[in-house]
């Protein structure tokens, strides 16, 4: 514990003095932490706030829920407020309804007597709590499960196909010598510079003419060949010693077996990186699925969420909660796959 | 099984030819060692035999079958790589059985062969480990085991011991020799270590710059080197050379010693350091002045300057009491003299 403290509070300045780099370091690190984690934390905490609280200014740091009480003669539980009375004393009352700038309120202990209270004279009684229904309501009302299923299907399929095709291309480009290999590589890398928006229209007409509009495969297939993936995997495979492949060749392995049993396992760290990228890309894809999919039951989460925002008024509390839910798989995938991102096992059999 | 014949093999990488027409016949069960300086084409030649590269021209026959165009797997050979090239993601057992699985051998037979090879190489306790969890010597054994289980017609070994320390190299050398005696399979062994070559080989192939300089048994190479290169390459420390003029069958060594040579004109005379001894007072000898003494206990290596003829190295038995700067006289027997003509070829 002491060692940790010493490490964290170590300074460049001597004898308790602050060197200017110490100050810059602290500012940089704290600022960085806030910039990196702030939005995520805000998102998570806000996703547990009710709609009224979200609209509040200044915003609160933690989510609160208003306390409610069951009052005799009223079916639904009524929200509780701290009311400041004319003589300056305060008491807790329940709100029956709002009328303009004042509200009709009742003392839970004395349900017969109704009082009119100005809105400015009262404060909601709140405690830290979570508005769980932000999460549960959409699951029931909104077609969340179907969208989730579509998203999972697209992400899993696209990622598997991306890994397969890209690693095959990378294997050929890194381990075979053939005429035009470097030109092919250059061409693939060059497509990195073509943004989606440029090829959107031609891509649409291709997908449309092969009849993949309004099909999840229409979302999946155009995305699987990624130049980034090929490049990433090729660079990694270049570090796998050729002697391993030659040894496998002497061991009667076919080229396919070499790919499947030697190259793929050894490229696992790079594959894990690409898998993470691919999952994030495909999960968060918005524009392309929006174009291809127009039937509601095919929507992926991102599009579903968008249409949800468009209905009537924007229900931010649901959107925030659903955004958190959509983030979870990506985070899980990252946590699971990052174990594989350990480098250098390929060279281990070679002295 | 295991007769390998190379006929006029040439190999060029792009425009650069690195093997310039090699003819070689390796007999069944023979252990042939390729030696030569770094970059002379030993590995390239071995890879051509293995089928990992194809020769630019020439042909390769194994047991009378022309395999020049055959792939690496179809030649029935097994190779041990300098880097071992063990599959790092597989256990030792998987490493050994990979080649057999690819040949669709029944599981029971694979297990039997792997166990037998493991017992022979004393790696049975390591079968569950991965290459990263092995020491250098153990990895070496696994690499050899991977070759053995395949039951090949010939073994190809590319500097298999060069990554080991000196002591381990010694024991592994003995084990390899015993292994060859037991399996009596043809082996081609590449090394640049002379001791390995001399102790292991039935025949040694000396290569230089993609050309075979001499093929012979180790002792013949040592006793009758065919040219200056082989003479200088085989034997440690290197042979001492003196350039002399032969006039009417007689040459004069530095220091005035007269010797008979059946040749005329410029000749290079060679004397191994081990064939020199301290001269008796009246004996014919080469005079020199010692400038470095290496006392190794069992023997003493003297480096000396010969006036007008450069340096001479002598290996003398036992421990000597000679000071730096002392004059010495070195005698030799004529039988131990090697003579080479102006083109570097052996005379006589
Ligand atoms: N793939 C290649 N492309 C171009 N030149 C090559 C290639 N492989 C080998 N060479 C050249 O061929 C020559 C012989 O190389 P080789 O590897 O056979 O030498 P070697 O005798 O095994 O040397 P060492 O003792 O250092 O292993 C060298 O000059 C090398 O530069
Ligand atoms: Mg080599």
């Amino acid at each position: 514990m002491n060692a940790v403290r010493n490490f964290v509070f170590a300074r460049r300045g001597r004898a308790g003095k602050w060197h200017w780099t110490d100050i810059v370091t602290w500012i940089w690190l704290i600022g960085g932490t806030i910039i990196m984690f702030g939005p995520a934390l805000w998102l998570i905490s806000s996703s547990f706030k009710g709609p009224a609280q979200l609209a509040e200014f200044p915003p609160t740091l933690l989510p609160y829920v208003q306390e409610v009480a069951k009052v005799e003669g009223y079916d639904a539980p009524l929200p509780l407020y701290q009311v400041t009375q004319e003589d300056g004393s305060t008491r807790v009352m329940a709100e029956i309804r709002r009328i303009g700038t004042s509200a009709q309120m009742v003392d839970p202990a004395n349900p017969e007597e109704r009082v009119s209270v100005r809105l400015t004279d009262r404060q909601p009684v709140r405690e830290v709590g979570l508005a769980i229904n932000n999460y549960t309501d959409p699951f029931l009302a909104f077609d969340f499960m179907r969208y989730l299923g579509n998203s999972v299907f697209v992400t899993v399929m696209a990622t598997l196909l991306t890994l397969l095709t890209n690693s095959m291309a990378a294997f050929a480009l890194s381990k075979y010598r053939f005429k035009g290999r470097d030109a092919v590589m250059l061409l693939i890398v060059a497509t990195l510079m073509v943004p989606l928006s440029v090829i959107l229209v031609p891509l649409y007409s291709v997908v449309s003419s092969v009849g993949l509009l309004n099909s999840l495969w229409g979302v999946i297939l155009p995305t699987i060949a990624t130049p980034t993936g090929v490049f990433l995997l090729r660079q990694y495979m270049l570090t796998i010693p050729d002697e391993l492949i030659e040894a496998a060749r002497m061991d009667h392995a076919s080229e396919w077996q070499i790919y499947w049993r030697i190259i793929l396992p050894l490229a696992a760290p790079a594959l894990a990186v690409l898998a993470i990228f691919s999952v994030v890309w495909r999960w968060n894809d918005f524009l392309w699925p929006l174009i291809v999919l127009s039937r509601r039951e095919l929507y992926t989460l991102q599009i579903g969420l968008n249409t949800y925002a468009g209905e009537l008024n924007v229900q931010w509390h649901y959107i925030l909660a659903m955004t958190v839910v959509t983030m979870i798989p990506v985070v899980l995938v990252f946590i699971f796959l990052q174990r594989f991102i350990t480098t250098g096992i390929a060279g281990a059999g070679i002295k | 099984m295991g007769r390998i014949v190379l006929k006029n093999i040439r190999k060029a990488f792009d425009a650069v030819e690195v093997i310039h027409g090699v003819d070689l016949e390796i007999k069944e069960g023979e252990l042939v060692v390729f030696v030569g300086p770094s970059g002379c084409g030993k590995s390239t030649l071995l890879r051509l035999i293995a089928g990992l590269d194809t020769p630019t021209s020439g042909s390769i026959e194994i047991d009378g079958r022309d395999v020049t165009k055959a792939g690496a797997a179809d030649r029935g050979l097994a190779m041990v790589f300098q880097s071992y090239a063990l599959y790092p993601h597989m256990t030792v057992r998987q490493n050994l059985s990979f080649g057999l699985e690819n040949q669709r051998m029944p599981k029971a037979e694979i297990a039997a062969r792997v166990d037998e090879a493991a017992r022979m190489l004393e790696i049975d306790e390591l079968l569950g480990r991965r290459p990263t969890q092995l020491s250098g010597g153990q990895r070496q054994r696994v690499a050899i085991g991977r070759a053995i289980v395949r039951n090949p017609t010939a073994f190809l070994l590319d500097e298999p011991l060069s990554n080991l320390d000196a002591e381990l190299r010694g024991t592994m050398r003995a084990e390899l020799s015993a292994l060859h005696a037991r399996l009596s399979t043809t082996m081609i062994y590449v090394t640049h270590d002379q001791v390995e070559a001399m102790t292991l080989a039935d025949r040694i192939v000396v290569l230089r710059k993609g050309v075979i300089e001499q093929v012979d048994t180790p002792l013949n190479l040592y006793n009758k080197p065919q040219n200056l290169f082989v003479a200088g390459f085989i034997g440690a420390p290197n042979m001492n050379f003196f350039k002399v003029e032969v006039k009417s069958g007689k040459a004069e060594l530095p220091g005035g010693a007269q010797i008979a040579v059946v040749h005329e004109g410029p000749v290079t005379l060679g004397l191994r350091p081990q064939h020199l001894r301290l001269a008796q007072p009246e004996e014919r000898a080469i005079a020199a002045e010692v400038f470095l003494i290496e006392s190794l206990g069992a023997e003493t290596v003297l480096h000396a300057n010969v006036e007008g003829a450069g340096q001479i190295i002598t290996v003398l038995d036992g421990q000597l009491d000679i000071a730096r700067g002392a004059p010495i006289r070195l005698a030799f027997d004529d039988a131990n003299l090697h003579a080479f003509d102006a083109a570097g070829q052996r005379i006589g």
Side-chain angles (χ1 to χ4, degrees):
Chain A
M1 211 49 226
N2 239 346
V4 171
R5 182 151 16 116
N6 283 344
F7 176 74
V8 170
F9 293 101
R11 278 188 232 148
R12 200 166 161 213
R14 295 270 166 78
K17 288 221 179 70
W18 287 81
H19 191 260
W20 68 269
T21 54
D22 294 327
I23 300 168
V24 171
T25 307
W26 276 96
I27 293 175
W28 174 255
L29 290 178
I30 292 174
T33 310
I34 292 172
I35 289 173
M36 304 289 272
F37 283 99
L41 291 179
W42 178 85
L43 171 68
I44 292 169
S45 105
S46 300
S47 74
F48 288 104
K49 294 177 182 173
Q53 209 195 333
L54 273 175
E56 251 171 42
F57 192 86
T60 53
L61 207 57
L62 291 173
Y64 294 94
V65 285
Q66 186 155 22
E67 279 193 50
V68 291
K70 188 101 181 87
V71 182
E72 224 171 289
Y74 299 93
D75 293 336
L78 298 178
L80 292 178
Y81 288 88
Q82 188 91 19
V83 176
T84 315
Q85 285 171 312
E86 263 130 58
D87 57 5
S89 66
T90 60
R91 68 194 252 225
V92 174
M93 298 183 85
E95 180 196 77
I96 304 166
R97 74 176 77 87
R98 262 176 69 176
I99 308 158
T101 56
S102 57
Q104 247 190 1
M105 305 195 75
V106 70
D107 189 340
N110 182 10
E112 310 298 288
E113 184 199 338
R114 295 182 182 188
V115 206
S116 181
V117 178
R118 270 182 294 147
L119 293 187
T120 48
D121 287 344
R122 61 171 212 188
Q123 285 295 321
V125 178
R126 301 196 298 193
E127 58 185 345
V128 175
L130 307 175
I132 300 295
N133 62 334
N134 285 355
Y135 286 84
T136 51
D137 290 355
F139 272 100
L140 305 174
F142 167 75
D143 228 351
F144 185 85
M145 283 328 246
R146 174 179 294 258
Y147 298 160
L148 181 73
N150 289 341
S151 263
V152 168
F153 180 76
V154 167
T155 305
V156 170
M157 275 308 180
T159 300
L160 288 181
L161 289 173
T162 299
L163 293 181
L164 190 73
T165 53
N166 289 9
S167 61
M168 288 202 272
F171 175 40
L173 289 170
S174 61
K175 292 297 174 202
Y176 292 115
R177 288 155 175 257
F178 53 88
K179 258 213 172 77
R181 177 177 81 163
D182 296 341
V184 170
M185 189 64 213
L186 204 67
L187 202 67
I188 290 177
V189 174
T191 62
L192 270 175
M193 284 180 260
V194 183
L196 174 66
S197 38
V198 171
I199 54 167
L200 211 53
V201 174
L203 200 56
Y204 179 85
S205 41
V206 170
V207 168
S208 154
S209 57
V210 292
L212 285 176
L213 282 187
N214 266 320
S215 143
L216 290 178
W217 288 105
V219 178
I220 294 168
L221 292 179
T223 60
I224 60 180
T226 64
T228 325
V230 174
F231 183 69
L232 188 93
L233 291 177
R234 184 189 97 111
Q235 291 311 103
Y236 192 84
M237 285 178 191
L238 284 177
T239 67
I240 298 177
D242 287 343
E243 287 202 341
L244 282 180
I245 294 170
E246 287 170 351
R249 250 175 226 148
M250 301 282 309
D251 266 346
H252 293 258
S254 63
E255 296 306 306
W256 174 256
Q257 279 169 320
I258 290 174
Y259 163 71
W260 192 252
R261 296 200 51 190
I262 309 287
I263 295 292
L264 274 195
L266 290 180
L271 288 172
V273 172
L274 181 59
I276 290 174
F277 277 147
S278 173
V279 165
V280 172
W281 289 333
R282 298 294 82 85
W283 188 262
N284 291 336
D285 246 356
F286 179 73
L287 188 54
W288 182 245
L290 183 70
I291 289 168
V292 176
L293 306 173
S294 51
R295 294 224 315 272
R296 212 165 221 294
E297 68 270 23
L298 292 174
Y299 281 178
T300 59
L301 265 182
Q302 307 299 337
I303 308 177
L305 219 56
N306 180 56
T307 59
Y308 198 53
E311 270 169 29
L312 303 174
N313 53 358
V314 184
Q315 306 200 322
W316 283 114
H317 53 301
Y318 291 150
I319 291 187
L320 289 172
M322 290 304 97
T323 309
V324 171
V325 172
T326 54
M327 270 171 35
I328 291 171
V330 177
V331 173
L332 288 183
V333 164
F334 183 81
I335 290 171
F336 175 71
L337 287 180
Q338 54 113 13
R339 290 184 300 143
F340 294 98
I341 314 176
T342 47
T343 47
I345 62 151
I350 302 281
K351 181 79 185 272
Chain B
M1 290 282 280
R3 204 176 95 96
I4 299 170
V5 180
L6 308 183
K7 285 184 186 150
N8 196 21
I9 294 289
R10 287 172 186 276
K11 174 67 182 174
F13 290 107
D14 300 323
V16 189
E17 195 173 80
V18 297
I19 304 283
H20 312 281
V22 163
D23 288 287
L24 183 65
E25 190 180 327
I26 296 166
K27 295 192 215 60
E28 205 179 308
E30 202 175 20
L31 200 165
V32 168
V33 173
F34 292 176
V35 286
S38 190
C40 68
K42 306 181 293 285
S43 301
T44 306
L45 200 54
L46 199 72
R47 291 168 54 84
L48 291 175
I49 298 173
L52 295 171
D53 276 329
T54 43
T56 315
S57 69
S59 71
I60 302 171
E61 279 175 23
I62 298 176
D63 295 328
R65 187 169 70 99
D66 187 332
V67 294
T68 318
K69 298 258 164 355
D74 303 325
R75 300 190 180 190
L77 308 175
M79 182 143 168
V80 176
F81 292 84
Q82 179 174 0
S83 62
Y84 313 148
L86 300 176
Y87 312 121
H89 57 297
M90 299 186 191
T91 62
V92 169
R93 178 177 284 282
Q94 288 166 331
N95 263 286
L96 294 188
S97 43
F98 183 68
L100 304 179
E101 282 167 16
N102 290 335
Q103 288 170 281
R104 306 190 188 283
M105 189 178 280
K107 280 218 162 58
E109 193 180 342
I110 294 180
R113 281 215 204 175
V114 169
D115 288 336
E116 194 197 322
R119 203 165 343 102
M120 194 192 293
L121 296 166
E122 292 167 18
I123 50 172
D124 13 14
E125 262 136 55
L126 311 174
L127 284 176
R129 295 211 208 155
R130 293 191 185 232
T132 35
Q133 301 163 323
L134 302 178
S135 71
Q138 290 168 333
R139 282 180 207 188
Q140 179 56 61
R141 276 169 221 248
V142 175
I144 292 171
R146 189 168 64 178
I148 288 179
V149 290
R150 299 249 320 273
N151 231 338
T153 41
F155 289 97
L156 311 177
L157 304 105
D158 191 355
E159 308 206 18
L161 306 184
S162 64
N163 283 333
L164 305 180
D165 60 51
E167 193 179 336
L168 199 52
R169 207 149 54 207
T171 37
M172 286 304 293
R173 199 167 65 215
E175 283 184 25
L176 271 175
S177 187
L179 193 72
H180 179 245
R182 174 157 33 161
L183 299 173
S184 53
T185 310
T186 311
M187 282 191 185
I188 303 178
Y189 188 106
V190 167
T191 182
H192 54 240
D193 183 317
Q194 279 191 42
V195 182
E196 266 171 40
M198 298 295 281
T199 52
L200 282 174
D202 293 326
R203 280 195 305 159
I204 295 179
V205 177
V206 183
L207 284 160
R208 178 170 67 145
K209 293 185 181 159
V211 176
I212 292 186
E213 293 283 340
Q214 189 173 354
V215 185
D216 219 326
T217 61
L219 289 183
N220 276 352
L221 278 187
Y222 186 84
N223 295 333
K224 275 190 178 324
Q226 280 310 304
N227 53 45
L228 264 180
F229 176 76
V230 177
F233 190 75
I234 301 288
N238 291 349
M239 192 183 271
N240 298 301
F241 291 116
F242 305 98
K243 285 194 162 51
V244 295
E245 259 322 290
V246 182
K247 287 189 193 112
S248 48
K250 287 236 172 270
E252 191 182 280
L253 276 174
Q258 294 279 327
I259 46 170
V261 181
V262 248
H263 196 77
E264 283 300 301
V267 160
T268 306
L269 294 176
L271 264 174
R272 294 204 183 276
Q274 291 82 356
H275 293 152
L276 289 162
R277 59 185 145 76
L278 292 178
Q280 302 300 322
E282 294 310 306
E283 212 174 357
R284 176 198 61 173
I286 303 168
E289 186 183 301
V290 177
F291 70 89
L292 180 64
I293 304 151
E294 296 172 318
S295 297
L296 304 177
E299 55 188 27
T300 305
V301 182
L302 295 180
H303 297 249
N305 273 320
V306 179
E307 205 174 311
Q311 296 180 358
I312 188 167
I313 299 179
T314 323
V315 178
L316 298 169
D317 280 343
Q319 306 177 358
L320 297 173
D321 190 20
I322 294 179
R324 181 178 305 190
I328 49 168
R329 296 178 69 248
L330 298 167
F332 55 90
D333 296 331
D334 280 4
N336 291 329
L337 262 180
H338 303 270
F340 303 95
D341 64 15
Q345 293 303 311
R346 185 179 187 84
I347 304 166

